[in-house]
Amino acid sequence: KWAKMPADEIAWNDPTNHVFHMPPGGDVQSMILCGLAGIRPMRVAISSINDGNIVNFEEGLACEFTHIVDKDGIHPVKDLKVPTSVLGMLSSLAIHQTLLANACGSGDAKDLYEALLAYPIGADTKAARKLWKFLLHDSEKYIAPTFMELEKYL
């Protein structure tokens, strides 16, 4: 029913009315655009390389952490600290993300395989290998042709 309504009559924040529900804080793309436009500074989590902003976390690893987006750009929040209770898991995920980024850069199937094995939960299982094989073939037309060599490692 909303598709035939004038846009100014749609209750945009009513998720039962249509598929275009926007959460109260906005989606991350809108938040980034509002920040860059100078409407107001926005806090968002962005995947980035830790260059000392997370004080108890290894530098050089990719992970998601808080940034401020404003008219002057995107700036990491300084002096963040990962709670000890999740530090091990987050470190494992960060190593996985970093190895994935490296594999994307190298285009090497062995690098991709090592990145997949670095995933901290259930990576070295028959089910995971079956899933990777399915995803590899399902994504064949979207990924670097060299990644098709991954199948020999699976």
Side-chain angles (χ1 to χ4, degrees):
K1 79 178 189 181
W2 58 268
K4 295 182 179 182
M5 295 174 64
D8 60 347
E9 292 179 17
I10 297 174
W12 289 102
N13 283 323
D14 179 3
T16 62
N17 196 21
H18 52 76
V19 297
F20 297 117
H21 174 66
M22 176 150 336
D27 61 67
V28 71
Q29 293 89 351
S30 297
M31 293 171 70
I32 289 171
L33 290 172
C34 285
L36 291 173
I39 294 171
R40 74 172 196 260
M42 304 297 280
R43 289 176 67 92
V44 295
I46 296 175
S47 288
S48 185
I49 300 296
N50 179 38
D51 58 0
N53 298 301
I54 306 172
V55 295
N56 64 333
F57 198 73
E58 186 175 338
E59 288 190 30
L61 292 181
C63 63
E64 290 184 19
F65 59 96
T66 306
H67 288 67
I68 302 296
V69 182
D70 61 25
K71 64 180 176 40
D72 297 319
I74 300 174
H75 322 282
V77 172
K78 306 282 186 203
D79 299 321
L80 297 170
K81 188 172 182 186
V82 176
T84 304
S85 60
V86 295
L87 186 58
M89 177 62 78
L90 184 59
S91 294
S92 296
L93 284 171
I95 290 167
H96 165 71
Q97 286 181 310
T98 302
L99 291 173
L100 277 177
N102 291 344
C104 289
S106 73
D108 187 301
K110 188 167 190 266
D111 289 347
L112 177 59
Y113 178 65
E114 290 174 1
L116 293 172
L117 282 179
Y119 190 76
I121 302 173
D124 196 18
T125 63
K126 288 180 184 178
R129 291 169 191 272
K130 183 178 176 183
L131 173 64
W132 297 340
K133 193 175 282 192
F134 168 78
L135 291 172
L136 178 67
H137 289 284
D138 195 50
S139 305
E140 185 172 3
K141 61 184 176 184
Y142 306 107
I143 62 175
T146 56
F147 283 150
M148 294 310 294
E149 293 179 31
L150 174 65
E151 188 158 19
K152 72 182 179 186
Y153 299 105
L154 301 176

